[in-house]
């Protein structure tokens, strides 16, 4: 609390507070038993704190102005992104090892334009209306994708059939209590499988100020903020969903933006109003993903080899450490 | 004697295995054959009794006789039944050979029911089983909160716009859009003649076009010798002008389908200016006419 000798606590609510309230040094607001008086004293204490803070700010600003040019530069405010714990697997753009890895991993045929993506979208058993509609909208967003219903089929048996019919990716949307809440993305010919937790799914009709339906043009893809090695592989997984050559006439863009381990998906139509200004309009569904696990082979819950699992006790404790 | 036992437990006094509901009485005794509280199905009130019970997928026949009534430890005699359904029925028959019809019948019925549910269990375990994972409320709340904060920190619209402008600068779109960059602007101000590529239905920068395509055509158009040629010329020039106007209008329409309906009428002003300028190709037709 304050400084100097004080007025007696419990002045009462009647007389207005004096300009500079002085509290005795050993006085603490929480020691007053009477709630009303305690509240009143607390408010006064708060006001005094605020005044002191304001005075400090003014003083600092005067000092800055007094120094003029010689003033030290303004301090950068700390954000979580600033304070992020440095991840040792952050990819350096010039890293040869990473480049070599990426040239030889499972997505190499896609990035060398040998394969055209063909995607199968399905759900868990007995999907409810919301999930079904979401699947349909997702199918319009991702070109060359097909929705099939899973009528009680086992994933392990679907996968060889998909490979036989030339599908490159499999998306399974898991549903709980009538809303989709999980996504399993599996690159098919023996590729990695990623399991995400999906949240805040908005269908097209729930988006405000939306445009018309997405057309058949191949959209562009934006992948933001995938910095670590793990983030890189996930980013490549997402990129492999879309055909390689976007049709710029369509002016559509699908964005996967990673922020603090949450991947936000948005689908927009853009238009360049001038060279410095672009307008975007959201069409299409939106959702957020959080990576739960990444497996090396195709979907296999029992015998799969996990490359990365989210371990809650270890990874959630530190608020400045992110993995993607 | 069993009659006394029944008159006590069944009707008047308390039986701890008895459960009463509005319509029926049930018996919770594990050796009970039917599950109901009756005179004939009470294991306590019958000195000769038999049941079927299953343990770990195997069915046993339990029997109780009067001779062993004094030895509670040896009271229930257990017989393992074969896994084969018909054989097991025969075994029940041969074990309960001179027993009352009711008990034999009920035993076989119970055995049938038990085998049916065992088959169902085995079938279900072969199918995929849904694993129920409980949600932890605190964790859900924490993750939702962090997601909201991440969304605010992400500033998605700005990030996307920035990325798109970056791509425009790095020329990934090629020749579709033609915006003058600052150096361009300065060059134009110094009146460098630069021709920019046209696109199909994309918008063109009107200012540049005005500067570039501005041509002052002399008054020779009115001095044509042949009237026919003049007519053709006029109509062709009108057509060209109309086409151009339509192209402009189309351009403005395609642009305004998205976000900016306001720009539609505002854009209309431009085409008016265009009409006043003649096309380049006119001199060539003129020379033909001449």
């Amino acid at each position: 609390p304050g400084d100097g000798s004080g007025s007696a606590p419990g002045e009462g609510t009647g007389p207005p507070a004096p300009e500079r309230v002085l509290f005795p040094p050993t006085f603490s607001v929480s020691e007053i038993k009477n709630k009303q008086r305690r509240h009143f004293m607390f408010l006064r204490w708060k006001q005094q704190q605020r005044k002191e803070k304001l005075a400090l700010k003014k003083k600092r600003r005067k000092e800055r102005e007094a120094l003029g040019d010689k003033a030290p530069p303004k301090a950068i405010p700390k954000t979580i992104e600033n304070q992020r714990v440095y991840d040792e697997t952050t990819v350096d753009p010039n890293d040869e090892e990473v480049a070599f890895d990426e040239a030889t991993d499972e997505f190499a045929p896609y990035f060398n334009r040998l394969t055209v993506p063909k995607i199968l979208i399905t759900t868990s058993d007995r999907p409810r209306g919301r999930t079904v509609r979401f699947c349909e909208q997702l199918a319009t967003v991702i070109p060359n994708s097909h929705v099939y219903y899973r009528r009680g089929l086992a994933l392990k048996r679907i996968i060889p059939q998909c490979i036989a019919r030339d599908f490159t990716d499999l998306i399974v949307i898991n549903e709980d209590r009538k809303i989709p809440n999980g996504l399993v993305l599996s690159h098919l010919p023996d590729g990695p499988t990623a399991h995400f937790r999906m949240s805040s799914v908005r269908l097209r009709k729930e988006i405000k100020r939306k445009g018309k339906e997405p057309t058949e043009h191949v959209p562009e893809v934006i992948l933001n903020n995938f910095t670590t090695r793990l983030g890189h592989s996930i980013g490549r997984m997402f990129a492999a969903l879309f055909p390689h050559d976007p049709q710029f006439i369509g002016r559509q863009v699908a964005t996967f933006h990673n922020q603090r381990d949450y991947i936000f998906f948005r689908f927009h139509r853009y238009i360049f109003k001038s060279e410095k200004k672009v307008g975007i309009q959201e069409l299409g569904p939106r959702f957020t993903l959080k990576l739960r696990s990444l497996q090396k082979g195709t979907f296999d819950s029992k015998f799969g080899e996990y490359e990365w699992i989210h371990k809650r006790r270890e990874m959630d404790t530190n608020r400045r450490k992110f993995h993607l | 004697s069993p009659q006394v036992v029944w008159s006590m437990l069944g009707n008047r006094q308390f039986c701890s295995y008895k459960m009463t509901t509005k319509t029926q009485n049930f018996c919770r005794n594990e050796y009970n054959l039917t599950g109901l509280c009756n005179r004939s199905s009470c294991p306590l009130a019958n000195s000769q009794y038999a049941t079927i019970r299953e343990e770990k997928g195997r069915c046993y026949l339990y029997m109780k006789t009067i001779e062993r009534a004094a030895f509670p430890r040896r009271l229930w005699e257990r017989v393992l039944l074969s896994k084969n359904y018909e054989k097991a029925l025969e075994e029940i028959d041969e074990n309960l050979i001179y027993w009352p019809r009711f008990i034999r019948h009920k035993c076989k019925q119970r055995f049938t029911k038990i085998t049916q549910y065992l088959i169902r269990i085995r079938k279900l375990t072969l199918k995929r089983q849904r694993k129920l994972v409980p949600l932890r409320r605190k964790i859900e709340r924490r993750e939702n909160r962090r997601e909201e904060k991440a969304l605010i920190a992400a500033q998605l619209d700005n990030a996307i716009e920035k990325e798109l402008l970056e791509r425009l600068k790095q020329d990934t779109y090629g020749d579709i859009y033609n915006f003058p960059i600052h150096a361009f602007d300065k060059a134009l101000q110094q009146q460098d003649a630069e021709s920019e590529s046209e696109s199909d239905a994309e918008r063109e920068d009107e200012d540049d076009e005005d500067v570039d395509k501005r041509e002052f055509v002399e008054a020779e158009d009115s001095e044509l010798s042949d009237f026919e040629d003049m007519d053709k010329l006029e109509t062709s020039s009108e057509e060209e002008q109309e086409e151009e106007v339509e192209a402009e209008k189309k351009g403005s329409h395609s642009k305004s389908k998205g976000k900016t309906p306001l720009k539609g009428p505002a854009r209309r002003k431009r085409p008016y200016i265009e009409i006043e300028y003649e096309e380049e190709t006119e001199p060539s037709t003129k020379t033909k006419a001449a």
Side-chain angles (χ1 to χ4, degrees), chain A residues 98-105 108-109 112 236:
Chain A
V98 172
F100 177 70
D101 269 341
E102 294 188 350
T104 51
D105 76 351
N112 295 335
R236 282 161 70 79

Side-chain angles (χ1 to χ4, degrees), chain A residues 199-200 221 262 275 288 312, chain B residues 128 136 139 143 147 167 180:
Chain A
S199 45
S200 36
V221 179
Y262 288 95
E275 66 152 23
T288 20
R312 192 171 46 88
Chain B
R128 303 159 303 131
R136 312 263 179 98
I139 292 168
E143 297 205 330
E147 185 191 322
R167 289 190 183 182

